Amino acid sequence: MDSRDTDWDGVRLHVVTGKGGTGKTTVAAALALALASGGRKVLLVEVEGRQGIAQIFDLPPLPYEERRIAVAPSGGDVYALAIDPEEAMLEYMEMFYGMRRAGRALTKMGIVDFATTVAPGFRDVLVTGKTTEAVRRRGKNGKRIYDAVVLDAPPTGRISRFLNVTQEVAGLARVGPIKNHSDLVSKVVKSPETAVHFITLLEEMPVQETLDGIAELRSAGLPPGGIFINMVRESLLPQAALDSAVKGRFDVAELTLGLKAAGLSDGASSTAEALAEEVAEHARRTVLERAERASLAQETLPSYELPLLTDGVDLAGLYELAEAIRTQGAA
Ligand SMILES: Nc1ncnc2c1ncn2[C@@H]1O[C@H](COP(=O)(O)OP(=O)(O)OP(=O)(O)O)[C@@H](O)[C@H]1O
Ligand SMILES: [Mg+2]
């Protein structure tokens, strides 16, 4: 891939994880748009069967098939794929055993259910297998089909097991096609072509999950990628005002005078009280956020901040987040 001087040049598989609800699907979609911009081709993959990508791009449910869903800024295409583990299993059986029809019968008999729900390691290897196949796939000219693949992955608590496929299928298969398949997946996941990014908010629980997730990933022999701090609110006040507000020294009398001077004499003092309380609340939150930022900074990983979109995430908002990702050098 031609270089364009981002923090992740050379990475072809971007795995996006984080605590539930922190914005994994949103950031994965924005990252895909950012990576595609300037005429590239990027595949956005989801694995949880919840049709989150379709929802975010305002599309009908996606089939188990790669299709173009968006055009990136200054050209470039985002394709999407919603992986259905059952379909992935049938495809796998056809690929290795030429038994797609048998596979259909096995579905009816509940054997696919067994493989996908009772043996979650096998389910995961099918999903990661499909994803890494898209990463490796080449066209007739020998060039890779996709410049990058972005995976909207399971949450932090499950990410290491999800990616550590060889470990997980070791008990299922020591030799044969499943083993070969998982070795191939593992090779991609552990290579410098893969980065695992963490999405977090500046709140205690998601930050703790991020730090735990990073540690767990490292102990599985997988280096973490970047940290994306999502839903960052603008700081409304200068530092000095925040400091005094936290200490409860925000000057209510002065505020009352200010309100009166502005022509609000009725109830100026109670308005000033209420305002001062809001300022104190905002200040307390800012202090907590600063502490969370400091905890994350211990990791010395590349980190990016994405604004809280106050009107929610529509398509325009998604492009706005993609732009923030680009200008900070993440794509
Ligand atoms: N930067 C943002 N500004 C405003 N709202 C956001 C932002 N990012 C995400 N959201 C909203 O937060 C909610 C959760 O986002 P999203 O679905 O992407 O999270 P998730 O981590 O994928 O959740 P889940 O764990 O359920 O898959 C959504 O309603 C989304 O629109
Ligand atoms: Mg999601």
Side-chain angles (χ1 to χ4, degrees):
M1 188 159 46
D2 55 310
S3 163
R4 59 180 188 191
D5 198 21
T6 73
D7 296 344
W8 309 103
D9 284 355
V11 168
R12 286 180 179 276
L13 174 58
H14 296 263
V15 179
V16 177
T17 185
K19 184 181 184 311
T22 53
K24 293 180 295 298
T25 304
T26 305
V27 176
L31 180 59
L33 279 173
L35 289 164
S37 76
R40 293 173 175 219
K41 192 167 165 179
V42 174
L43 178 67
L44 174 60
V45 177
E46 85 179 309
V47 299
E48 303 268 75
R50 290 174 29 205
Q51 292 291 341
I53 295 175
Q55 273 173 38
I56 213 166
F57 284 96
D58 209 6
L59 296 168
L62 296 168
Y64 181 52
E65 173 189 295
E66 289 156 43
R67 58 169 53 178
R68 195 170 76 137
I69 58 157
V71 175
S74 47
D77 294 313
V78 175
Y79 284 69
L81 172 66
I83 297 184
D84 172 55
E86 207 167 278
E87 282 295 325
M89 167 118 179
L90 295 175
E91 192 177 74
Y92 174 86
M93 291 178 115
E94 181 177 32
M95 202 157 52
F96 288 102
Y97 304 105
M99 54 192 284
R100 191 173 185 89
R101 280 176 55 210
R104 299 260 173 228
L106 293 175
T107 312
K108 289 206 189 87
M109 289 160 60
I111 290 178
V112 170
D113 272 355
F114 163 77
T116 54
T117 60
V118 183
F122 186 50
R123 180 201 156 108
D124 287 350
V125 84
L126 291 171
V127 168
T128 49
K130 181 74 188 166
T131 308
T132 51
E133 182 274 319
V135 174
R136 289 181 290 114
R137 194 185 310 152
R138 292 176 192 271
K140 287 203 179 73
N141 58 6
K143 285 178 71 175
R144 308 257 198 152
I145 298 279
Y146 291 109
D147 294 299
V149 174
V150 180
L151 175 61
D152 177 10
T156 336
R158 287 198 286 126
I159 192 65
S160 292
R161 287 192 65 178
F162 177 75
L163 294 174
N164 208 359
V165 284
T166 22
Q167 189 70 34
E168 293 301 317
V169 301
L172 290 171
R174 284 190 182 77
V175 291
I178 293 182
K179 175 74 168 68
N180 295 341
H181 182 69
S182 81
D183 286 349
L184 207 56
V185 172
S186 179
K187 211 172 118 194
V188 173
V189 168
K190 295 200 164 165
S191 82
E193 288 197 342
T194 295
V196 182
H197 305 302
F198 287 79
I199 313 304
T200 188
L201 309 178
L202 285 176
E203 290 169 12
E204 197 177 335
M205 294 280 288
V207 167
Q208 193 53 53
E209 275 201 29
T210 299
L211 298 175
D212 293 347
I214 289 170
E216 205 184 314
L217 200 67
R218 284 207 176 102
S219 61
L222 301 165
I227 297 175
F228 289 73
I229 305 175
N230 193 21
M231 305 194 209
V232 175
R233 293 175 231 224
E234 276 181 82
S235 187
L236 302 171
L237 295 168
Q239 196 56 52
L242 289 174
D243 289 342
S244 45
V246 170
K247 293 183 193 126
R249 279 199 246 113
F250 198 81
D251 197 331
V252 178
E254 196 179 319
L255 193 55
T256 308
L257 287 177
L259 289 172
K260 281 184 177 156
L264 284 170
S265 44
D266 282 359
S269 68
S270 60
T271 307
E273 290 278 356
L275 277 175
E277 188 39 51
E278 290 230 347
V279 172
E281 178 54 39
H282 172 74
R284 278 192 290 272
R285 204 186 63 225
T286 309
V287 169
L288 290 177
E289 288 176 353
R290 213 185 298 157
E292 299 305 339
R293 258 200 197 89
S295 300
L296 291 170
Q298 290 167 11
E299 288 294 343
T300 64
L301 296 172
S303 112
Y304 315 96
E305 303 216 352
L306 302 177
L308 174 73
L309 302 173
T310 44
D311 297 333
V313 184
D314 55 6
L315 214 47
L318 218 47
Y319 282 89
E320 199 179 310
L321 296 178
E323 179 61 19
I325 286 171
R326 291 270 286 142
T327 53
Q328 291 173 75

